[in-house]
Amino acid sequence: MARKQSIKPKRSKVDFPYKEVSLTWIDANSDTGWLSLEQMKKHNVAVCHTQGWVFEENDTYIKIFGTYSIDEDSSTIEFGEVIAIPKGWIV
């Protein structure tokens, strides 16, 4: 049986100044259909969990990203899974 070779990525030389964070926050939850009285009583906000790195934070919101890619040739970072969460929604 042949052994699989694993390729170890090179250690990046690009500065990565972002701190990791885990957030729990509430979001709107809607239903466009007809609801019974019991369903209406049970309907509530959605509780969300997001993990990533803080890109920006101010008094109004926190902006985080969940994935990133580093282009070694241009020494730049590209960001994915970006979300800005209002501070009032964080629990």
Side-chain angles (χ1 to χ4, degrees), residues 7-77:
I7 299 172
K8 292 185 180 180
K10 293 182 211 172
R11 197 94 176 141
S12 175
K13 295 176 184 171
V14 176
D15 182 38
F16 190 81
Y18 308 102
K19 74 173 187 174
E20 199 166 2
V21 67
S22 181
L23 298 175
T24 301
W25 53 284
I26 57 171
D27 197 4
N29 184 11
S30 65
D31 194 316
T32 59
W34 292 95
L35 300 180
S36 69
L37 178 61
E38 287 305 311
Q39 290 171 316
M40 189 65 176
K41 287 179 180 180
K42 290 179 182 178
H43 192 82
N44 208 336
V45 296
V47 178
C48 306
H49 306 279
T50 302
Q51 204 162 346
W53 292 270
V54 178
F55 180 80
E56 178 184 13
E57 184 174 5
N58 58 39
D59 292 340
T60 307
Y61 63 86
I62 183 169
K63 188 185 305 179
I64 66 173
F65 58 96
T67 59
Y68 64 93
S69 176
I70 298 174
D71 184 330
E72 295 294 334
D73 293 333
S74 64
S75 296
T76 59
I77 301 173

